[in-house]
Amino acid sequence: MQKVERPSRPIELGPPCRPPTTVSSSPESFTTLTQKALPKLFEERKPGDTLRLWIPGCSSGEEPYSVAMVLLEFLAEKADEVPVQIFATDVSDTAIETARTGLYPESTVRPISAERLRKFFTQVDGKYRVSKKVREMCIFARHDLTRDPPFSKLDMVICRNVLIYLDQALQKRLFTAFHYALKPNGYLMLGAAETVGLQRDLFTVIDKKHRLYSKRPVYLEPLDLAFAEGRQPDRPSIPATAKPAREHPVRKNVQQEVNQLMLSKYAPPGVLVNDRFEIIQFRGQTGFFLEPAPGEVNLHVLKMVRSGLLHDLQQALIEARDSQAAVRKEGLHVRLNGHGRDVVLEVTPIMVPDEPPHYLILFEDVSRHAGSAPVPPPLPPAEGLIGESEVEHFRRELDHTRRELETTRRYLQSAIQDLEITNEELQSANEEVLSSNEELQSTNEELDTAKEELQSTNEELNTLNAELHSRNDELSRLNSDLINLLSSVQLAVIMVDRGLCIRRFTPPAEKLFNLIAADVGRPMQHIKPNIVSPNLEQTIHDVIEHVTPLEQEVQDVNGRWYLLRVRPYCSVDNRIEGAVIALVDIDAMKRREMQSEEARREVLAILQAIHEGLVVLDDKFCVQMINDAFCRMFAVDPHKATGKPLFDVADGAWKVPPVRSLLESALKSDTLPEDVELEHEFPGVGRKRLILSARRVESRDGHPPLALLAIREV
């Protein structure tokens, strides 16, 4: 049996969209649909009834969606009140999957007007998806017109450009199926190159140009669905005697002729029947035992057997079917045209593997085997007398009638028992059907609930998907910001996890730690850095365990100074996931600090070599440096005096206004103040006469200036 395949065609709608360029395109057909078919359907529709349409051979779904859009435009504000089901079928699974997605390229939807495009489509990644409302109206399923049973109770069938791929026999069968599937007021629409042909008695023409038809109230035999399983309906075989002769008969040899002659002369006549007791082959001359019933041709053996053998043959067939063994009936009598014959009836089951059972019925003429000729009817007896032969004849007839009555009684008893069993089986089947119906209703309700849940879940998934897209974009931006930040700060930074495996590092860290891109994921123990830090791994481990940042100054193998900072790596939920190792280049600062310390030592040595008392003060008049001459002169401990205000040294002996005035003048003015002569009593050393001079000393790195106080004793 051939399958139907249809070429894909673009979405086609009536005006205002311009017609596509394919042969099957016909926007005027949809206009005819909205003007001549849909108004009639809705006039006769009851409230709450579902409008059911079937579009076989839907290909990739353009035509069903077009019909759905036409219906939505036709219904306008009432679209939510009228339930619509559009069954769209095709033999191609790929086409059905494409149709279900409802996603089409721009070239396919180009013929559609801008208004309909905004109303029924959404743009997704350069393509156009049919709106959800339109997709919910269409039910897509795989279906083979030539094999699967049709849908039922349909308001309309739109089968365009499918029949042109089928032969006339299949077309006739499909028109019968469409007639069966449609409601009494249903409509059928075909393609421009298709007509109902010889099936015009099933449909009435509504619009000949656009191939719109309505169903005629014609009585048909029940739809034969045998082709649903890919086979032809069963028909009884033509009797062997009725088969036409071959055009080229086979030449027979002598042995075959002898066998045929012996079978026809000595073998009893009979018939071969199937499991439904229909004759599929005649063997020999069966005219004395069988005769065709008047009316239509019927090859059922119980309809053809003569009345004298009917009940016995029926009983023998039932017994042979039940016992699967041969059954023999003797003492039967058949009369035809005044002649009677004694007959022996035998039914033998024929069992062949992988085939239904057959039964061979043989009619054996006992009178012929006994050599007795047909007995002529007896002569009429004399008036008032009954002959012995007639009495014997009546006795035989009476015995035969009794046997027939007994057979009939047994048959009726068996029929009653079969009827009772059948009634019980029907009652049980009815209860099972009712139970199945309830289960199906319950399943249908569960499916409706599941559908609603799936729709709700789908909406939640769409929302979640949009949120994930937003989060992904935000994460991408943050990742880009982090990469640019790490690249711009020019710091050697390494991030490790709790197992001290490298997670990320910056380009400056490659040289200091001898890293390459393939080192991501390797433990720090496998890396030999260029910095001198013997316990680096243990230091990182202690920071992770005790959550305590650590800083220390280290040098690389070239003697360059760096500040090593190790801090815990905290996640957004404040969990310690590793550590961050950073190296800050402090070589210049370290060297300046070392130079400053060296200069300080040099200055201190110079101060110590001078015999006059010298004191270096800051802007708060606190002692920064002091020489030995000053300590001997005033009996001061240098360790106790350093860092204290000058006016607190020597038990406050320097709290003299001229000294403060001299120091303030030296710090505030660039000019050298005049020397001050001071005579004062100092505890522990007595009265001294001193000459004081002060100088301003500029400091480096933007620090406040210092004051140098020189003391000379007169």
Side-chain angles (χ1 to χ4, degrees):
M1 195 71 68
Q2 57 180 334
K3 292 188 177 181
V4 181
E5 298 287 348
R6 296 187 63 190
S8 175
R9 58 175 182 269
I11 294 180
E12 49 188 27
L13 294 173
C17 72
R18 61 186 179 86
T21 57
T22 58
V23 176
S24 62
S25 303
S26 178
E28 295 81 6
S29 300
F30 292 100
T31 304
T32 303
L33 195 67
T34 56
Q35 293 178 353
K36 297 184 179 181
L38 294 181
K40 293 290 185 180
L41 289 177
F42 284 98
E43 284 179 4
E44 303 175 0
R45 176 184 167 274
K46 298 179 182 179
D49 287 351
T50 301
L51 184 67
R52 294 163 57 88
L53 293 85
W54 181 22
I55 303 179
C58 67
S59 188
S60 52
E62 292 91 337
E63 190 166 50
Y65 289 135
S66 302
V67 175
M69 297 175 196
V70 169
L71 283 172
L72 288 175
E73 291 182 344
F74 179 81
L75 295 172
E77 293 82 5
K78 298 181 180 180
D80 296 332
E81 303 175 3
V82 179
V84 178
Q85 287 182 340
I86 300 177
F87 300 98
T89 62
D90 201 279
V91 295
S92 173
D93 292 327
T94 305
I96 292 298
E97 291 299 325
T98 303
R100 284 199 181 108
T101 58
L103 191 64
Y104 299 98
E106 183 181 0
S107 59
T108 302
V109 300
R110 189 176 296 119
I112 301 178
S113 65
E115 179 184 357
R116 282 176 173 159
L117 206 59
R118 289 192 303 269
K119 186 176 180 181
F120 298 116
F121 292 86
T122 56
Q123 192 168 6
V124 180
D125 298 334
K127 295 185 178 181
Y128 291 84
R129 184 186 298 277
V130 182
S131 65
K132 182 179 179 182
K133 187 173 184 180
V134 176
R135 283 187 281 115
E136 287 179 347
M137 296 172 61
C138 302
I139 302 173
F140 293 95
R142 187 187 182 281
H143 184 277
D144 189 348
L145 280 174
T146 63
R147 295 176 181 269
D148 301 326
F151 294 89
S152 61
K153 298 181 180 179
L154 298 172
D155 295 285
M156 178 175 291
V157 175
I158 302 178
C159 182
R160 304 175 63 202
N161 302 319
V162 176
L163 301 177
I164 56 177
Y165 299 99
L166 307 178
D167 55 23
Q168 291 186 357
L170 281 178
Q171 290 184 13
K172 179 179 179 181
R173 183 182 301 172
L174 291 183
F175 281 126
T176 305
F178 292 158
H179 189 276
Y180 162 80
L182 287 170
K183 292 181 179 179
N185 59 341
Y187 289 88
L188 171 66
M189 176 173 278
L190 303 178
E194 299 167 337
T195 62
V196 295
L198 299 177
Q199 306 301 313
R200 62 177 64 92
D201 55 331
L202 302 180
F203 298 96
T204 302
V205 179
I206 301 298
D207 190 311
K208 183 177 182 181
K209 179 180 178 181
H210 300 107
R211 302 297 191 265
L212 181 63
Y213 304 88
S214 64
K215 178 180 176 179
R216 280 188 176 183
V218 178
Y219 173 76
L220 294 177
E221 293 293 333
L223 183 64
D224 184 7
L225 298 180
F227 66 92
E229 300 178 359
R231 60 181 178 84
Q232 294 291 343
D234 292 331
R235 291 188 176 89
S237 300
I238 301 176
T241 56
K243 289 184 179 179
R246 295 183 178 180
E247 296 181 1
H248 304 283
V250 181
R251 182 176 300 175
K252 299 180 181 180
N253 56 28
V254 176
Q255 185 176 0
Q256 290 177 340
E257 290 287 348
V258 172
N259 292 337
Q260 186 68 25
L261 178 62
M262 292 182 67
L263 287 174
S264 62
K265 187 171 184 180
Y266 298 104
V271 291
L272 181 65
V273 299
N274 56 17
D275 56 344
R276 294 186 297 273
F277 303 152
E278 295 175 346
I279 300 175
I280 60 176
Q281 188 178 18
F282 291 87
R283 303 185 66 86
Q285 300 297 327
T286 59
F288 194 84
F289 312 101
L290 304 175
E291 63 176 346
E296 295 183 0
V297 177
N298 193 335
L299 294 179
H300 199 285
V301 68
L302 297 179
K303 298 293 184 181
M304 298 183 64
V305 70
R306 298 192 181 275
S307 59
L309 302 176
L310 174 61
H311 301 295
D312 295 282
L313 177 58
Q314 186 174 27
Q315 185 178 8
L317 286 171
I318 294 174
E319 292 179 3
R321 182 188 62 188
D322 296 339
S323 63
Q324 294 298 318
V327 177
R328 185 179 178 86
K329 297 288 184 179
E330 299 180 352
L332 307 182
H333 188 75
V334 180
R335 294 187 63 85
L336 179 63
N337 298 329
H339 299 280
R341 290 187 181 181
D342 294 329
V343 178
V344 173
L345 178 66
E346 186 173 353
V347 178
T348 304
I350 306 297
M351 308 301 295
V352 179
D354 300 329
E355 289 189 13
H358 291 69
Y359 302 93
L360 178 62
I361 305 173
L362 298 177
F363 304 98
E364 185 177 354
D365 189 352
V366 180
S367 302
R368 186 181 65 175
H369 290 303
S372 59
V375 180
L379 297 174
E383 186 177 354
L385 297 177
I386 299 178
E388 292 181 1
S389 59
E390 190 172 356
V391 171
E392 184 65 23
H393 174 70
F394 288 156
R395 186 180 293 111
R396 287 198 304 269
E397 290 289 342
L398 181 60
D399 292 339
H400 180 71
T401 304
R402 286 175 180 174
R403 287 195 303 271
E404 287 188 352
L405 288 176
E406 181 63 23
T407 303
T408 303
R409 186 187 66 79
R410 291 196 301 267
Y411 170 72
L412 289 177
Q413 184 67 26
S414 174
I416 292 173
Q417 293 176 357
D418 292 343
L419 182 60
E420 291 176 352
I421 295 173
T422 304
N423 287 336
E424 293 176 359
E425 293 176 352
L426 289 176
Q427 183 68 22
S428 176
N430 187 30
E431 294 175 356
E432 292 178 359
V433 168
L434 293 176
S435 176
S436 300
N437 189 26
E438 295 175 356
E439 293 178 359
L440 288 174
Q441 290 178 353
S442 175
T443 304
N444 191 25
E445 295 174 357
E446 293 176 359
L447 288 175
D448 291 338
T449 305
K451 180 183 177 183
E452 296 175 358
E453 294 177 355
L454 286 175
Q455 290 176 348
S456 175
T457 304
N458 190 27
E459 294 176 358
E460 294 177 2
L461 288 176
N462 289 334
T463 304
L464 182 60
N465 190 27
E467 184 177 354
L468 287 176
H469 277 297
S470 177
R471 293 285 182 87
N472 192 25
D473 295 339
E474 183 179 359
L475 182 61
S476 298
R477 290 194 299 271
L478 291 176
N479 193 29
S480 300
D481 294 343
L482 178 62
I483 293 175
N484 285 277
L485 176 63
L486 294 177
S487 300
S488 61
V489 295
Q490 292 298 320
L491 289 178
V493 179
I494 299 179
M495 299 179 185
V496 297
D497 58 14
R498 294 187 66 90
L500 303 188
C501 294
I502 299 174
R503 298 173 58 179
R504 186 189 291 266
F505 58 85
T506 59
E510 296 180 1
K511 182 178 180 181
L512 292 175
F513 287 91
N514 286 328
L515 296 175
I516 59 176
D519 289 333
V520 175
R522 293 181 60 189
M524 285 291 295
Q525 295 87 337
H526 296 175
I527 305 300
K528 185 178 180 180
N530 288 330
I531 61 173
V532 181
S533 181
N535 299 322
L536 180 60
E537 291 83 5
Q538 184 62 37
T539 301
I540 300 172
H541 182 74
D542 293 342
V543 169
I544 295 175
E545 291 298 325
H546 301 96
V547 197
T548 304
L550 181 140
E551 292 186 0
Q552 65 180 17
E553 295 178 355
V554 296
Q555 286 182 289
D556 62 6
V557 293
N558 298 321
R560 193 173 185 85
W561 286 93
Y562 295 89
L563 178 62
L564 175 65
R565 293 176 179 173
V566 183
R567 296 181 177 273
Y569 181 97
C570 297
S571 62
V572 292
D573 53 354
N574 204 25
R575 294 173 55 188
I576 305 301
E577 299 290 346
V580 180
I581 307 160
L583 285 176
V584 182
D585 190 351
I586 60 172
D587 186 71
M589 183 179 66
K590 187 69 175 177
R591 295 188 184 281
R592 285 196 300 269
E593 182 182 348
M594 294 171 64
Q595 292 174 0
S596 299
E597 183 64 24
E598 184 178 355
R600 183 177 179 277
R601 288 194 299 267
E602 292 176 355
V603 170
L604 184 59
I606 294 172
L607 292 178
Q608 298 296 344
I610 298 175
H611 296 288
E612 295 182 353
L614 296 176
V615 181
V616 179
L617 305 174
D618 61 9
D619 59 340
K620 304 296 183 183
F621 306 121
C622 293
V623 177
Q624 299 297 315
M625 289 186 296
I626 187 170
N627 65 351
D628 294 339
F630 181 89
C631 295
R632 289 192 303 269
M633 189 180 299
F634 300 102
V636 175
D637 186 356
H639 299 290
K640 294 182 178 180
T642 303
K644 295 177 63 176
L646 176 64
F647 305 112
D648 294 339
V649 176
D651 297 331
W654 291 96
K655 291 182 179 180
V656 181
V659 177
R660 179 180 289 274
S661 177
L662 177 64
L663 294 174
E664 289 178 352
S665 298
L667 288 174
K668 293 181 179 179
S669 177
D670 293 335
T671 61
L672 298 176
E674 296 181 358
D675 295 343
V676 176
E677 185 176 347
L678 175 65
E679 187 175 351
H680 188 67
E681 184 72 24
F682 292 92
V685 295
R687 191 172 187 83
K688 288 184 178 290
R689 186 180 177 186
L690 306 173
I691 297 177
L692 306 177
S693 60
R695 299 290 185 271
R696 178 179 176 179
V697 180
E698 296 293 339
S699 179
R700 296 181 179 180
D701 299 331
H703 289 85
L706 303 176
L708 176 63
L709 178 63
I711 304 169
R712 179 165 52 89
E713 184 177 3
V714 179

